Amino acid sequence: MKVVTTAGELAAEWEAARRAGAVIGYVPTMGALHEGHLSLVGLAREECDLVVCSIFVNPLQFGLDEDFESYPRPVERDLELLRDRGTDVAFLPSWTEIFPGRERVLDDFGTHVSVPRLSHQLCGRSREGHFDGMVTESLLFLNLVRPDRTYWGEKDFQQLRIIETLVRDMRLPVTVVRGATRREPDGLAMSSRNKNLDPEARATAPRLRGVLEDTRARVRSGEPLPAVLAAGRELLASLGFAVEYLVACEEEALTEVGSVGGPVPVRLFAAARLGGVRLLDNIPLTGADHG
Protein backbone atom coordinates (compact mmCIF):
# COMPACT_ATOMS: atom_id res chain seq x y z
CA MET A 1 0.00 0.00 0.00
CA LYS A 2 1.27 3.43 -0.92
CA VAL A 3 0.67 6.33 1.46
CA VAL A 4 0.40 9.78 -0.14
CA THR A 5 -0.12 13.10 1.59
CA THR A 6 -0.46 15.66 -1.22
CA ALA A 7 -2.89 16.20 -4.06
CA GLY A 8 -0.01 15.99 -6.52
CA GLU A 9 1.10 12.57 -5.30
CA LEU A 10 -2.48 11.35 -5.43
CA ALA A 11 -2.99 12.65 -8.97
CA ALA A 12 0.08 10.74 -10.12
CA GLU A 13 -1.47 7.52 -8.81
CA TRP A 14 -4.89 7.90 -10.41
CA GLU A 15 -3.45 9.22 -13.67
CA ALA A 16 -1.24 6.13 -13.99
CA ALA A 17 -4.18 3.87 -13.16
CA ARG A 18 -6.43 5.65 -15.64
CA ARG A 19 -3.85 5.23 -18.42
CA ALA A 20 -3.74 1.52 -17.65
CA GLY A 21 -7.54 1.28 -17.96
CA ALA A 22 -8.10 0.59 -14.25
CA VAL A 23 -11.43 1.05 -12.48
CA ILE A 24 -10.79 3.29 -9.48
CA GLY A 25 -12.73 2.81 -6.25
CA TYR A 26 -12.76 5.35 -3.43
CA VAL A 27 -13.69 5.01 0.24
CA PRO A 28 -13.73 8.33 2.16
CA THR A 29 -13.24 8.15 5.95
CA MET A 30 -12.35 10.28 8.94
CA GLY A 31 -10.24 7.47 10.36
CA ALA A 32 -10.72 5.58 13.65
CA LEU A 33 -11.65 2.72 11.35
CA HIS A 34 -13.97 -0.14 12.27
CA GLU A 35 -15.52 -3.03 10.39
CA GLY A 36 -18.11 -0.73 8.85
CA HIS A 37 -15.40 1.22 7.03
CA LEU A 38 -13.45 -1.92 6.22
CA SER A 39 -16.48 -3.63 4.70
CA LEU A 40 -16.65 -0.74 2.23
CA VAL A 41 -12.97 -1.23 1.44
CA GLY A 42 -13.74 -4.91 0.87
CA LEU A 43 -16.57 -4.03 -1.52
CA ALA A 44 -14.27 -1.70 -3.43
CA ARG A 45 -11.59 -4.39 -3.55
CA GLU A 46 -14.06 -6.83 -5.12
CA GLU A 47 -15.26 -4.36 -7.77
CA CYS A 48 -12.27 -2.18 -8.62
CA ASP A 49 -8.69 -2.42 -9.86
CA LEU A 50 -7.30 0.43 -7.74
CA VAL A 51 -8.69 1.13 -4.25
CA VAL A 52 -8.08 4.55 -2.71
CA CYS A 53 -9.04 5.29 0.90
CA SER A 54 -8.75 8.76 2.40
CA ILE A 55 -8.37 9.59 6.09
CA PHE A 56 -9.20 13.20 6.87
CA VAL A 57 -11.05 14.68 9.82
CA ASN A 58 -13.06 17.37 8.07
CA PRO A 59 -13.25 20.52 10.20
CA LEU A 60 -16.05 22.04 8.11
CA GLN A 61 -18.63 19.51 9.34
CA PHE A 62 -17.97 20.10 13.05
CA GLY A 63 -19.66 22.86 14.97
CA LEU A 64 -17.45 24.97 17.21
CA ASP A 65 -18.89 23.18 20.25
CA GLU A 66 -18.42 19.69 18.79
CA ASP A 67 -15.61 17.18 19.17
CA PHE A 68 -13.25 18.07 16.30
CA GLU A 69 -10.14 18.34 18.47
CA SER A 70 -10.91 15.18 20.44
CA TYR A 71 -12.04 13.08 17.46
CA PRO A 72 -9.93 9.88 17.58
CA ARG A 73 -6.97 9.72 15.21
CA PRO A 74 -5.24 6.30 15.54
CA VAL A 75 -3.38 6.71 12.26
CA GLU A 76 -0.88 3.84 12.49
CA ARG A 77 -3.60 1.36 13.46
CA ASP A 78 -5.81 2.61 10.62
CA LEU A 79 -3.04 2.21 8.06
CA GLU A 80 -2.39 -1.34 9.19
CA LEU A 81 -6.07 -2.19 8.84
CA LEU A 82 -6.21 -0.68 5.35
CA ARG A 83 -3.09 -2.56 4.35
CA ASP A 84 -4.58 -5.84 5.57
CA ARG A 85 -7.76 -5.26 3.52
CA GLY A 86 -5.90 -4.68 0.27
CA THR A 87 -6.05 -0.91 -0.07
CA ASP A 88 -3.73 0.29 -2.84
CA VAL A 89 -3.44 3.98 -1.95
CA ALA A 90 -4.04 5.68 1.40
CA PHE A 91 -4.52 9.43 1.06
CA LEU A 92 -3.68 11.24 4.31
CA PRO A 93 -3.58 14.96 3.53
CA SER A 94 -2.88 17.56 6.18
CA TRP A 95 -5.43 20.19 7.11
CA THR A 96 -3.44 22.85 5.22
CA GLU A 97 -3.09 20.62 2.14
CA ILE A 98 -6.88 20.57 1.80
CA PHE A 99 -7.56 24.04 3.20
CA PRO A 100 -4.49 26.20 2.48
CA GLY A 101 -6.24 29.19 3.97
CA ARG A 102 -6.54 27.28 7.27
CA GLU A 103 -10.32 27.40 7.13
CA ARG A 104 -11.82 25.87 10.27
CA VAL A 105 -15.53 26.53 9.68
CA LEU A 106 -17.65 26.63 6.55
CA ASP A 107 -18.13 30.40 6.66
CA ASP A 108 -14.34 30.82 6.29
CA PHE A 109 -14.28 28.76 3.08
CA GLY A 110 -14.89 30.57 -0.20
CA THR A 111 -17.23 28.00 -1.79
CA HIS A 112 -20.22 26.32 -0.19
CA VAL A 113 -22.06 23.31 -1.60
CA SER A 114 -25.52 22.48 -0.30
CA VAL A 115 -28.26 19.92 -0.90
CA PRO A 116 -30.88 21.81 1.09
CA ARG A 117 -33.94 19.60 0.61
CA LEU A 118 -32.14 16.70 2.30
CA SER A 119 -29.81 18.60 4.63
CA HIS A 120 -32.35 20.51 6.73
CA GLN A 121 -34.13 17.42 8.07
CA LEU A 122 -33.28 14.78 10.67
CA CYS A 123 -29.74 15.52 11.92
CA GLY A 124 -29.71 18.83 10.06
CA ARG A 125 -32.21 20.27 12.53
CA SER A 126 -29.78 20.09 15.45
CA ARG A 127 -26.44 20.31 13.57
CA GLU A 128 -26.71 23.50 11.57
CA GLY A 129 -24.20 23.60 8.72
CA HIS A 130 -23.00 20.04 9.30
CA PHE A 131 -24.13 18.61 5.99
CA ASP A 132 -23.06 21.67 4.00
CA GLY A 133 -19.58 21.19 5.45
CA MET A 134 -19.67 17.48 4.72
CA VAL A 135 -20.84 17.78 1.12
CA THR A 136 -18.47 20.67 0.34
CA GLU A 137 -15.47 18.66 1.51
CA SER A 138 -16.77 15.49 -0.16
CA LEU A 139 -17.05 17.18 -3.55
CA LEU A 140 -13.53 18.53 -3.12
CA PHE A 141 -12.20 15.01 -2.41
CA LEU A 142 -14.13 13.46 -5.30
CA ASN A 143 -12.46 15.99 -7.57
CA LEU A 144 -9.05 15.13 -6.14
CA VAL A 145 -9.44 11.33 -6.31
CA ARG A 146 -11.42 11.16 -9.60
CA PRO A 147 -12.87 7.70 -8.86
CA ASP A 148 -15.19 5.60 -10.98
CA ARG A 149 -16.99 4.27 -7.91
CA THR A 150 -17.30 5.65 -4.38
CA TYR A 151 -18.52 3.67 -1.36
CA TRP A 152 -20.77 4.97 1.45
CA GLY A 153 -22.47 3.18 4.33
CA GLU A 154 -26.21 3.03 5.02
CA LYS A 155 -25.61 3.62 8.73
CA ASP A 156 -25.31 7.35 7.94
CA PHE A 157 -28.29 7.19 5.61
CA GLN A 158 -28.95 10.93 5.40
CA GLN A 159 -25.32 11.53 4.44
CA LEU A 160 -25.56 8.75 1.84
CA ARG A 161 -28.69 10.26 0.27
CA ILE A 162 -27.08 13.70 0.14
CA ILE A 163 -24.06 12.32 -1.71
CA GLU A 164 -26.27 10.34 -4.11
CA THR A 165 -28.25 13.50 -4.85
CA LEU A 166 -25.11 15.61 -5.33
CA VAL A 167 -23.72 13.09 -7.83
CA ARG A 168 -27.03 12.87 -9.71
CA ASP A 169 -27.77 16.59 -9.84
CA MET A 170 -24.22 17.70 -10.71
CA ARG A 171 -23.80 14.87 -13.25
CA LEU A 172 -20.59 13.77 -11.56
CA PRO A 173 -18.91 10.90 -13.44
CA VAL A 174 -18.92 8.50 -10.49
CA THR A 175 -21.18 5.71 -9.23
CA VAL A 176 -22.22 5.79 -5.57
CA VAL A 177 -22.24 2.28 -4.08
CA ARG A 178 -24.16 1.57 -0.86
CA GLY A 179 -22.76 -0.62 1.88
CA ALA A 180 -25.04 -2.22 4.50
CA THR A 181 -24.82 -1.11 8.13
CA ARG A 182 -22.37 -3.24 10.09
CA ARG A 183 -23.21 -4.05 13.68
CA GLU A 184 -21.62 -5.33 16.84
CA PRO A 185 -22.77 -8.80 17.98
CA ASP A 186 -25.32 -7.15 20.31
CA GLY A 187 -26.81 -5.10 17.47
CA LEU A 188 -25.24 -1.70 18.11
CA ALA A 189 -24.42 0.03 14.83
CA MET A 190 -20.67 0.38 14.47
CA SER A 191 -19.36 3.92 14.95
CA SER A 192 -16.02 5.51 15.72
CA ARG A 193 -17.69 7.25 18.66
CA ASN A 194 -18.83 4.03 20.35
CA LYS A 195 -15.50 3.81 22.16
CA ASN A 196 -16.49 6.96 24.07
CA LEU A 197 -19.35 5.12 25.80
CA ASP A 198 -18.67 4.18 29.42
CA PRO A 199 -19.44 0.55 30.38
CA GLU A 200 -22.95 1.30 31.65
CA ALA A 201 -23.87 3.33 28.56
CA ARG A 202 -22.31 0.71 26.28
CA ALA A 203 -24.55 -1.94 27.84
CA THR A 204 -27.63 0.21 27.22
CA ALA A 205 -26.73 1.48 23.73
CA PRO A 206 -28.01 -1.57 21.78
CA ARG A 207 -31.52 -0.79 23.06
CA LEU A 208 -31.67 1.92 20.39
CA ARG A 209 -31.68 -0.79 17.74
CA GLY A 210 -34.12 -2.82 19.84
CA VAL A 211 -36.63 0.03 19.98
CA LEU A 212 -36.39 0.46 16.21
CA GLU A 213 -37.09 -3.23 15.67
CA ASP A 214 -39.98 -3.21 18.15
CA THR A 215 -41.43 -0.13 16.45
CA ARG A 216 -41.26 -1.85 13.07
CA ALA A 217 -42.92 -5.01 14.39
CA ARG A 218 -45.77 -3.10 16.00
CA VAL A 219 -46.45 -0.97 12.92
CA ARG A 220 -46.40 -4.02 10.69
CA SER A 221 -48.91 -5.70 12.99
CA GLY A 222 -51.33 -2.84 12.34
CA GLU A 223 -50.77 -0.38 15.19
CA PRO A 224 -50.91 3.32 14.17
CA LEU A 225 -47.49 4.73 13.36
CA PRO A 226 -47.71 8.02 15.36
CA ALA A 227 -48.68 6.22 18.58
CA VAL A 228 -45.95 3.59 18.20
CA LEU A 229 -43.31 6.24 17.52
CA ALA A 230 -44.41 8.21 20.59
CA ALA A 231 -44.18 5.05 22.71
CA GLY A 232 -40.71 4.37 21.35
CA ARG A 233 -39.52 7.85 22.29
CA GLU A 234 -40.89 7.44 25.79
CA LEU A 235 -39.18 4.08 26.20
CA LEU A 236 -35.84 5.45 25.03
CA ALA A 237 -36.13 8.36 27.45
CA SER A 238 -36.89 5.96 30.31
CA LEU A 239 -33.70 4.05 29.45
CA GLY A 240 -31.60 7.20 29.78
CA PHE A 241 -31.43 8.31 26.14
CA ALA A 242 -31.78 12.00 25.33
CA VAL A 243 -33.87 11.55 22.20
CA GLU A 244 -33.37 13.95 19.29
CA TYR A 245 -35.74 12.11 16.99
CA LEU A 246 -37.42 8.79 16.31
CA VAL A 247 -39.32 9.17 13.06
CA ALA A 248 -40.40 7.42 9.89
CA CYS A 249 -39.34 8.99 6.58
CA GLU A 250 -39.52 8.26 2.88
CA GLU A 251 -36.16 6.84 1.85
CA GLU A 252 -35.80 8.98 -1.26
CA ALA A 253 -36.83 12.43 -0.01
CA LEU A 254 -36.33 11.88 3.75
CA THR A 255 -39.70 13.53 4.39
CA GLU A 256 -41.54 12.36 7.50
CA VAL A 257 -44.65 10.23 7.08
CA GLY A 258 -47.58 9.62 9.41
CA SER A 259 -48.64 6.27 7.96
CA VAL A 260 -47.34 3.46 5.78
CA GLY A 261 -48.80 1.41 2.98
CA GLY A 262 -47.92 3.36 -0.15
CA PRO A 263 -45.45 2.37 -2.88
CA VAL A 264 -42.61 4.59 -1.60
CA PRO A 265 -40.09 2.80 0.68
CA VAL A 266 -40.13 4.08 4.27
CA ARG A 267 -37.33 3.85 6.82
CA LEU A 268 -37.18 4.39 10.58
CA PHE A 269 -34.54 6.86 11.79
CA ALA A 270 -33.30 7.53 15.33
CA ALA A 271 -30.77 9.85 16.91
CA ALA A 272 -30.18 10.07 20.65
CA ARG A 273 -27.45 10.91 23.12
CA LEU A 274 -26.39 8.45 25.77
CA GLY A 275 -23.73 9.32 28.31
CA GLY A 276 -22.88 12.36 26.20
CA VAL A 277 -22.29 10.28 23.05
CA ARG A 278 -24.51 10.86 20.03
CA LEU A 279 -25.82 7.63 18.50
CA LEU A 280 -27.51 7.15 15.10
CA ASP A 281 -29.38 4.20 13.66
CA ASN A 282 -31.92 3.38 10.97
CA ILE A 283 -33.72 0.34 9.59
CA PRO A 284 -36.24 -0.19 6.76
CA LEU A 285 -39.86 -0.01 7.86
CA THR A 286 -41.25 -1.23 4.55
CA GLY A 287 -39.49 -3.61 2.21
CA ALA A 288 -36.64 -5.96 3.11
CA ASP A 289 -35.41 -6.19 6.70
CA HIS A 290 -31.70 -5.71 5.94
CA GLY A 291 -29.72 -3.11 7.88
Side-chain angles (χ1 to χ4, degrees):
M1 182 178 75
K2 189 166 186 177
V3 179
V4 301
T5 59
T6 70
E9 291 173 316
L10 177 64
E13 295 298 321
W14 64 253
E15 285 174 350
R18 191 75 71 207
R19 286 195 299 270
V23 174
I24 300 172
Y26 171 48
V27 181
T29 83
M30 294 205 302
L33 303 180
H34 52 68
E35 189 57 36
H37 301 109
L38 298 175
S39 67
L40 298 177
V41 175
L43 261 179
R45 182 72 282 163
E46 292 174 6
E47 299 179 352
C48 303
D49 302 303
L50 182 80
V51 176
V52 179
C53 184
S54 63
I55 297 177
F56 182 73
V57 183
N58 172 28
L60 302 189
Q61 70 188 65
F62 288 80
L64 290 176
D65 60 343
E66 293 184 320
D67 57 349
F68 172 70
E69 297 298 339
S70 63
Y71 195 87
R73 294 168 171 84
V75 176
E76 293 305 319
R77 171 186 170 277
D78 287 348
L79 289 176
E80 189 62 33
L81 290 170
L82 291 178
R83 190 174 291 109
D84 289 346
R85 292 301 177 98
T87 305
D88 296 297
V89 179
F91 181 39
L92 275 68
S94 67
W95 170 36
T96 53
E97 173 69 18
I98 299 303
F99 301 115
R102 297 179 178 272
E103 293 89 351
R104 167 62 182 85
V105 296
L106 189 62
D107 286 344
D108 294 336
F109 196 54
T111 299
H112 298 187
V113 182
S114 179
V115 183
R117 284 183 297 172
L118 299 180
S119 296
H120 297 161
Q121 305 174 70
L122 299 172
C123 291
R125 294 172 183 164
S126 61
R127 303 187 72 191
E128 184 178 357
H130 165 75
F131 288 115
D132 290 353
M134 179 278 295
V135 76
T136 297
E137 181 260 7
S138 296
L139 178 58
L140 193 162
F141 270 73
L142 287 171
N143 282 329
L144 291 176
V145 180
R146 305 289 180 90
D148 299 291
R149 303 171 72 82
T150 183
Y151 295 78
W152 298 73
E154 289 187 343
K155 185 257 179 180
D156 295 298
F157 198 87
Q158 185 174 13
Q159 173 179 268
L160 166 67
R161 285 292 303 120
I162 289 169
I163 293 298
E164 289 177 335
T165 302
L166 170 77
V167 166
R168 182 196 67 199
D169 290 353
M170 295 293 100
R171 313 296 201 274
L172 300 182
V174 60
T175 299
V176 180
V177 181
R178 295 184 177 190
T181 300
R182 298 303 294 264
R183 298 183 178 276
E184 303 291 352
D186 59 9
L188 178 64
M190 290 182 176
S191 168
S192 301
R193 291 187 171 95
N194 287 349
K195 61 175 62 69
N196 296 330
L197 294 164
D198 63 33
E200 181 179 358
R202 177 62 186 82
T204 302
R207 297 295 299 275
L208 184 64
R209 161 75 170 182
V211 168
L212 285 172
E213 291 181 327
D214 181 63
T215 299
R216 175 167 64 188
R218 292 177 61 182
V219 172
R220 288 181 175 181
S221 72
E223 295 187 51
L225 177 60
V228 176
L229 289 173
R233 296 182 198 108
E234 290 179 8
L235 177 56
L236 287 171
S238 73
L239 294 169
F241 290 89
V243 181
E244 290 187 19
Y245 58 78
L246 171 59
V247 295
C249 297
E250 294 181 357
E251 287 197 358
E252 180 74 14
L254 301 182
T255 52
E256 289 188 34
V257 300
S259 62
V260 297
V264 178
V266 175
R267 186 170 286 257
L268 292 170
F269 294 87
R273 291 187 180 273
L274 185 65
V277 179
R278 191 170 187 271
L279 302 175
L280 294 178
D281 209 338
N282 67 85
I283 62 172
L285 177 56
T286 61
D289 291 354
H290 67 282

